[in-house]
Amino acid sequence: MSSLRSAPSKKNYTARNVGKSYQSLFIMLGITLFMFGGIGSRLAYLQLVRGIQYRQQADNNRIRVIPKQPERGNIFDRDGKVLASSRLSHAVYVWPMAPKNVEWTATKAKLAQILQIREAEIQKRLEKAGYNSSTLVRVARGLTPAQITALAEYHNQLKDVEVYIEAVREYPNGQIASHILGYTGEMSDRELAKKRKLGYRLGDIVGQMGVEAAFEQQLRGEWGGQQVEVDGKGRIIKVLGAKPAKTGQNVYLTIDLNIQKAAEKALGDRQGAIVALDPRNGAVLAMVSRPAFDPNIFTKRIAPAQWKALQSKDHPFVNRALRGFPPASTFKIITTTAGIESGKFKPTTILQTYGCMNIGGTTFCDWNHAGFGPLGFPGALAHSSDTFFYQIGRGVGGPTLIDWTRRYGFGKKTGIELAGEEARGLVADAKWKQENLDIPWSVGDTVNMSIGQGFLQVSPLQVARMFAVPANGGYLVQPHLLKNNETAKTWRKSLNLKPDTVRILRQGLRQVVDGGTGNALNSP
C-alpha cells in the first residue's frame, strides 16, 4: 500500500493582491522617510539656524568672566600732596544665573540679611544684567568687618556668591576741598545708557561732581579680568585667559593744600565761598564752599535716610564759588574802570558824597546814611561810598557800564574745567529787562548796577578773576584747576586799560585794606 503526500500548496498571486503588497511597502517607506525627514530638518534647524545661540548658551554655562575693576588715578595738589587716592575694600558679587538654582530663595534671604539690604534690590541688580550673562554682578561694596566674617561663616550656604577685594576711593583730608574734588559713586541707569558705548558697564564707579567728574576719562582706568572654565558645581577648573586692569592716570591740580586749609579755616562754618586765584595765570590756589560734605561717605552704600538728611542741610553739594550772587561793592572796580576809560571822569576827579540822593525821582542813600564828604576814586573805593559811584554810573550811562561789565568776563563762563557746575551769571540790559519784565531800562537800574545791585548775578570765581585784572596790570586770565593746562596758563586777554586806570584801582584797593572798609584784613 502506498501513501501519497500532498505537494506544498502555492499561493495564487493575482494582480490584485500583488498590488496590495507593494502599497503597504510604499506606505511604510513613506512613514519612515517622513519621520527621518522631520528629524533631519529639526537637526538642521537646531544646528544651522539656532546653533550659534545654543553654543553661546552652553559656553555661558561653562565659561564665566571674573571682572577686575581698575584702580582710579590719584589726585594731587600742586606740590604732590595727596588729595584723593584709593584703598582696598571688600565687595560682594553674585553670578547672574544664581536665580535659576533651587537654593536661590534661601541664598538671597541670607545674603540680604548679612548685607542689610532688601531682597528685591539684589534681584533687581541680577535682572538688569540678565540671567544668561557670564559676568559677575556686584550687589554691595565697602563691607564692614562683621559682614566679611558673616559671609565667610555662611559660605557653604551662599552658592554663586563671591567676595572680592577691590580698590575704593579715599579722601585723606576729609571735607577739605570737597567741592573741588567731588566724589565717586555707582552710575545710575540713565548714566549707563549714555556711557555704555564708551565701555562702561553695570556697577561702574564714576565721578559724580568736581574734578572726579571733570577728569573722569583720565582717572577711570580700564577694566581687566579673567575668563575661566567651570564645572557643573561652578568650581574653576581652568583659566582660559586674563587681562590685567589698567590703573587710571594721576591728575595734578593747581590747588595749594596749605592755602586751601587756611581758606577753609577763615570761612569756618559760615555759609559762603572763598576763591584764591593766581592773578598772573589764573591758577586756582584755593576754592572753598560752605556748607561742605565728606566725600568718604560715598565709598559705601548710603541709606536713603542719610542721603535725605545730607540734601536738606542747606544744599551742601552746591559749589557756591561757581554760583551767581549780587557782587555788591566789589563791582565798584568795574564802575571805576568805566568812569575813567570812558573819558567822562578824570583819574583826579573829586566828587561830593551825600547821605542820600534823589535820582530820577527815587531816593538812593549811602550805606552810612551820612556820606563821606569830597572823595576821589581811591578814597571812594577805600570807604566804599555808594553816592560817589551813583554819580559815576549815572555819568557814564547804562550801555557803557554794561559793556565794561562784559569785558571783565561777567555774564559768561570763565572756562574753568568744572563747566558743568559753573553758572554764567547775569548781566542784564535794556533788551533783557523788556523781554523778561516788560519794563524799559531806567536810570535807576544804572545807579543800582553801579554798586553791584539790581539785575546782576556773578560768581565768586568771576569776582576773583575781576580782581586779577588790576593785580596783573590789566589782563583777563582763565581760571583753571589742572596744573598742566598749558592753554589756560598762557591765555591772557588785554583789556587795554590806561596806565592811570590800573594805578587808581591798585591805589584804591590798597587803601581798602590799609584803613578802609577792609581794615580787618590788614594783617600779615
Side-chain angles (χ1 to χ4, degrees):
M1 175 184 248
S2 63
S3 61
L4 297 174
R5 291 183 179 175
S6 59
S9 62
K10 295 182 180 178
K11 279 189 177 183
N12 186 18
Y13 291 100
T14 64
R16 179 176 296 179
N17 58 32
V18 168
K20 286 183 178 179
S21 298
Y22 280 112
Q23 186 178 20
S24 299
L25 180 62
F26 288 144
I27 291 173
M28 291 300 296
L29 182 61
I31 293 174
T32 302
L33 290 174
F34 177 78
M35 291 177 63
F36 276 104
I39 294 172
S41 62
R42 182 61 179 172
L43 287 173
Y45 173 77
L46 292 176
Q47 292 184 9
L48 300 179
V49 179
R50 303 293 296 275
I52 296 177
Q53 177 184 346
Y54 290 137
R55 278 195 295 275
Q56 287 177 342
Q57 290 181 359
D59 286 341
N60 287 342
N61 292 330
R62 180 175 61 88
I63 299 172
R64 297 182 180 179
V65 177
I66 301 176
K68 176 65 175 177
Q69 186 184 29
E71 184 176 337
R72 279 179 86 81
N74 297 321
I75 303 176
F76 299 96
D77 84 337
R78 65 190 299 113
D79 297 320
K81 297 185 181 73
V82 177
L83 299 176
S85 59
S86 299
R87 61 177 174 82
L88 297 181
S89 179
H90 290 78
V92 176
Y93 287 80
V94 176
W95 289 108
M97 62 282 295
K100 296 180 179 180
N101 300 326
V102 294
E103 307 95 334
W104 173 240
T105 301
T107 299
K108 180 172 60 173
K110 183 53 114 177
L111 189 59
Q113 178 188 353
I114 294 173
L115 300 178
Q116 297 181 341
I117 60 178
R118 295 181 297 109
E119 293 182 35
E121 186 175 336
I122 298 175
Q123 191 76 28
K124 184 179 179 181
R125 284 179 172 270
L126 296 177
E127 289 173 356
K128 283 182 183 179
Y131 298 147
N132 292 323
S133 174
S134 61
T135 304
L136 283 162
V137 177
R138 183 176 56 228
V139 296
R141 61 191 182 103
L143 302 184
T144 65
Q147 290 173 330
I148 297 169
T149 301
L151 288 168
E153 181 180 349
Y154 292 99
H155 176 71
N156 292 333
Q157 301 178 31
L158 299 173
K159 186 177 180 182
D160 290 324
V161 176
E162 308 284 351
V163 178
Y164 290 104
I165 296 176
E166 62 184 24
V168 298
R169 214 54 165 158
E170 182 175 47
Y171 303 89
N173 301 294
Q175 69 175 16
I176 298 293
S178 58
H179 290 91
I180 298 171
L181 300 174
Y183 64 94
T184 60
E186 190 169 321
M187 66 194 317
S188 64
D189 294 343
R190 187 175 181 180
E191 289 175 311
L192 180 60
K194 292 180 179 179
K195 295 186 176 183
R196 193 182 291 275
K197 292 181 179 180
L198 300 176
Y200 287 89
R201 60 184 73 186
L202 182 68
D204 266 1
I205 305 299
V206 297
Q208 297 291 346
M209 66 174 282
V211 168
E212 293 280 20
F215 300 106
E216 167 67 19
Q217 292 302 310
Q218 295 95 314
L219 292 166
R220 64 178 290 213
E222 294 181 11
W223 277 82
Q226 287 184 322
Q227 189 179 49
V228 298
E229 184 177 353
V230 298
D231 60 15
K233 296 182 178 181
R235 294 173 299 194
I236 297 174
I237 58 178
K238 184 190 296 184
V239 176
L240 302 177
K243 175 186 176 183
K246 185 177 179 181
T247 303
Q249 301 173 30
N250 294 330
V251 170
Y252 288 82
L253 302 182
T254 58
I255 296 298
D256 185 311
L257 184 57
N258 292 331
I259 298 177
Q260 180 72 26
K261 288 180 178 179
E264 303 247 0
K265 183 178 179 181
L267 187 56
D269 294 329
R270 290 171 292 183
Q271 190 175 108
I274 291 177
V275 176
L277 198 69
D278 186 332
R280 300 167 298 181
N281 54 27
V284 178
L285 304 178
M287 181 185 289
V288 185
S289 179
R290 286 287 187 275
F293 62 94
D294 185 350
N296 288 300
I297 63 177
F298 295 98
T299 59
K300 57 184 178 181
R301 183 177 179 271
I302 298 179
Q306 184 183 12
W307 176 247
K308 185 177 180 180
L310 281 170
Q311 288 183 309
S312 64
K313 188 184 176 184
D314 298 321
H315 307 289
F317 300 104
V318 173
N319 188 345
R320 284 171 166 77
L322 303 178
R323 309 306 295 175
F325 305 94
S329 290
T330 60
F331 186 82
K332 291 169 182 175
I333 289 176
I334 295 178
T335 306
T336 298
T337 302
I340 299 175
E341 291 292 322
S342 66
K344 298 290 182 65
F345 298 90
K346 296 179 180 180
T348 57
T349 294
I350 302 293
L351 297 176
Q352 180 65 39
T353 62
Y354 308 93
C356 291
M357 297 178 64
N358 187 292
I359 302 175
T362 302
T363 299
F364 296 88
C365 295
D366 218 313
W367 64 268
N368 68 349
H369 292 274
F372 299 90
L375 290 176
F377 279 108
L381 287 169
H383 296 291
S384 193
S385 172
D386 293 331
T387 55
F388 179 93
F389 289 102
Y390 292 156
Q391 298 174 74
I392 301 298
R394 180 177 59 179
V396 301
T400 299
L401 190 58
I402 291 168
D403 177 55
W404 275 104
T405 304
R406 290 173 174 161
R407 290 197 203 185
Y408 268 86
F410 288 177
K412 60 183 178 183
K413 295 186 177 184
T414 65
I416 196 169
E417 294 90 342
L418 307 183
E421 301 171 45
E422 184 181 17
R424 294 177 55 190
L426 172 65
V427 179
D429 53 19
K431 180 181 179 182
W432 179 92
K433 189 179 179 186
Q434 191 68 49
E435 290 178 349
N436 288 273
L437 303 177
D438 197 24
I439 302 173
W441 188 271
S442 68
V443 65
D445 295 319
T446 303
V447 168
N448 265 334
M449 189 177 188
S450 70
I451 62 166
Q453 302 292 350
F455 308 111
L456 192 61
Q457 295 279 311
V458 304
S459 71
L461 179 63
Q462 290 173 326
V463 172
R465 187 191 198 192
M466 175 189 71
F467 274 103
V469 172
N472 64 30
Y475 294 90
L476 202 63
V477 293
Q478 182 177 327
H480 60 280
L481 286 166
L482 188 64
K483 186 178 180 181
N484 61 354
N485 190 336
E486 298 300 329
T487 301
K489 282 195 296 186
T490 57
W491 187 90
R492 286 161 63 91
K493 180 181 179 181
S494 176
L495 297 187
N496 298 315
L497 300 182
K498 300 170 184 175
D500 279 344
T501 304
V502 175
R503 178 180 57 81
I504 291 295
L505 288 173
R506 287 179 170 179
Q507 185 180 346
L509 294 174
R510 181 70 261 173
Q511 289 184 22
V512 169
V513 178
D514 281 342
T517 55
N519 187 56
L521 299 176
N522 192 14
S523 168

